[in-house]
Amino acid sequence: MKDLRQIQKKKGIRLIIFSILLCFFGIIIFFISNEDKTITGMFTTKCSISNTSDLYQCQKQNSYVKINLTKVYSTTYVYQKHDNTVAYYLDIDLDGKSLISLVDKETAEKVLDGKQKYMEGKLIQFEDTHADALLQIKAYYNQQNIEAQFLPIQFSNYDINGEAYAMIFILVLIFIFTIFGIKKAVQLIKFKNQFSDKIDEINQELNSTLHYQSKQMTITDHYILINQFFDFKVYKVDSVKWIYQKNTKKYGITVNKSIVLCFENGDNIVLPMKNETGLQELKTDVLMGYTKENQQQYQSIVKQYKLNHKK
């Protein structure tokens, strides 16, 4: 025996599981994308650096720093290999010692032009991988010179760039969909909709007077039940006001045909074409086919419905 409560409960549980998995996916994406602390660094108070005293203080307090380029001497160097430019380096002079940073071409040009006033980033351990580049920056390079001329740390700069904003946007969307999914799941499980008080009547028709049934749609005497992957919608039969065929084309060729049901409240449901036979009995007093006149008439019906059902 079919019970709409159980059908909706299963949908709700499925949606909760999906929402939890989506939440875990968002957490994994966050940790992967924030491996270099770029995202959390956007919201962290920066420690300001103008000299070596500031730098050593910032090392103790916070790895996220903001260097005031107007108060230090800085220049850029191009690292070339086989006559090809492969990297740009920023050499920030702090009381006679160089704080090295790998930068992009745009940043290097801004620093040279004096347009870059500040740089944000974090302090990391000096890496010998810069040795080849430093050979071009300084005429002489060995471990002694590293200790004498270069600070034992480097500056890893980051800009609040499009990638960081895009990742935050994606994470916010995942969070919103997770909250929406759980909220919707609770509604499904508790069967909260405009037909809550008609549940027994709908169950009775489901188990006695079926006019059409497919995987996507069930039609009884008075109700249309739409079965979606994460939802189960119920409409009255007489609320269907417009039915038309939708053709999806690609390069001028029809690749898919579907049926669109439009309801008086403005909702519309797209169903596979195979459900067309089940809609034959709904054609009485229903606008059929996609025409400009039908579209205008349907818009008037929806407008009138919303005027009559103002809260």
Side-chain angles (χ1 to χ4, degrees):
M1 188 173 180
K2 296 175 183 176
D3 187 344
L4 194 56
R5 291 187 185 89
Q6 292 302 315
I7 294 173
Q8 299 236 122
K9 186 177 180 180
K10 288 179 181 178
K11 297 275 183 187
I13 292 172
R14 181 188 297 174
L15 188 52
I16 285 177
I17 293 172
F18 176 80
S19 298
I20 292 172
L21 290 176
L22 185 63
C23 184
F24 276 117
F25 176 74
I27 292 170
I28 292 169
I29 288 293
F30 171 77
F31 280 110
I32 292 173
S33 60
N34 193 50
E35 188 176 1
D36 59 354
K37 308 297 182 183
T38 300
I39 295 178
T40 50
M42 292 171 64
F43 307 100
T44 305
T45 302
K46 312 298 186 300
C47 184
S48 182
I49 294 177
S50 298
N51 51 52
T52 49
S53 297
D54 291 341
L55 184 139
Y56 293 133
Q57 190 64 30
C58 289
Q59 270 190 292
K60 296 176 183 178
Q61 295 178 357
N62 195 333
S63 61
Y64 299 102
V65 298
K66 183 175 184 179
I67 298 178
N68 187 344
L69 296 180
T70 64
K71 295 185 177 181
V72 297
Y73 173 76
S74 59
T75 188
T76 57
Y77 297 93
V78 176
Y79 176 30
Q80 290 188 320
K81 201 168 186 178
H82 306 303
D83 296 325
N84 293 319
T85 300
V86 294
Y88 293 85
Y89 284 87
L90 175 64
D91 184 352
I92 303 169
D93 189 286
L94 294 174
D95 300 336
K97 283 201 174 186
S98 295
L99 180 65
I100 300 298
S101 177
L102 177 65
V103 296
D104 56 34
K105 181 180 179 181
E106 184 181 358
T107 302
E109 290 175 348
K110 285 183 178 179
V111 171
L112 283 176
D113 294 340
K115 295 178 180 179
Q116 186 87 14
K117 305 299 181 184
Y118 296 92
M119 289 191 68
E120 294 183 354
K122 60 181 180 178
L123 301 174
I124 59 175
Q125 191 67 32
F126 189 92
E127 298 176 357
D128 283 346
T129 53
H130 289 258
D132 290 340
L134 293 175
L135 275 171
Q136 296 187 19
I137 296 174
K138 302 294 180 181
Y140 184 79
Y141 174 78
N142 57 34
Q143 189 61 38
Q144 276 188 328
N145 279 356
I146 277 286
E147 294 173 0
Q149 298 175 9
F150 299 95
L151 288 163
I153 55 177
Q154 293 170 194
F155 175 67
S156 175
N157 81 300
Y158 61 80
D159 293 321
I160 308 307
N161 52 29
E163 289 183 9
Y165 280 120
M167 189 53 61
I168 290 173
F169 178 73
I170 291 170
L171 291 171
V172 169
L173 279 183
I174 290 175
F175 176 76
I176 290 172
F177 277 118
T178 300
I179 297 299
F180 173 80
I182 293 174
K183 184 179 179 181
K184 182 65 180 178
V186 171
Q187 290 177 344
L188 285 168
I189 292 172
K190 292 185 176 181
F191 197 74
K192 286 187 176 181
N193 59 40
Q194 70 271 34
F195 296 106
S196 300
D197 57 337
K198 302 286 185 180
I199 184 69
D200 293 329
E201 180 185 335
I202 296 171
N203 279 338
Q204 185 178 352
E205 291 194 10
L206 266 176
N207 290 282
S208 60
T209 58
L210 288 182
H211 293 283
Y212 176 80
Q213 186 173 30
S214 70
K215 187 177 181 180
Q216 296 86 17
M217 179 176 68
T218 300
I219 301 176
T220 69
D221 277 346
H222 302 97
Y223 298 97
I224 297 178
L225 289 78
I226 305 295
N227 183 21
Q228 298 175 318
F229 189 74
F230 285 127
D231 204 354
F232 199 92
K233 295 185 177 181
V234 180
Y235 298 94
K236 283 194 172 183
V237 169
D238 58 10
S239 69
V240 181
K241 298 302 178 184
W242 187 22
I243 300 174
Y244 63 88
Q245 180 178 312
K246 180 181 179 182
N247 297 330
T248 304
K249 293 186 177 183
K250 193 172 183 179
Y251 305 114
I253 301 172
T254 300
V255 294
N256 184 50
K257 292 182 178 181
S258 52
I259 291 291
V260 182
L261 274 69
C262 301
F263 299 89
E264 62 184 355
N265 64 352
D267 285 359
N268 62 79
I269 303 292
V270 180
L271 297 171
M273 194 69 185
K274 62 184 179 182
N275 292 282
E276 183 182 22
T277 54
L279 302 172
Q280 297 300 319
E281 64 183 79
L282 301 179
K283 289 186 177 181
T284 305
D285 298 327
V286 176
L287 300 170
M288 297 299 301
Y290 193 93
T291 65
K292 188 174 182 179
E293 292 76 15
N294 283 349
Q295 184 183 31
Q296 291 174 344
Q297 195 171 339
Y298 173 69
Q299 288 173 348
S300 298
I301 292 171
V302 173
K303 185 177 180 180
Q304 188 61 45
Y305 175 87
K306 291 182 177 180
L307 284 173
N308 297 336
H309 293 79
K310 277 187 176 181
K311 292 183 179 180

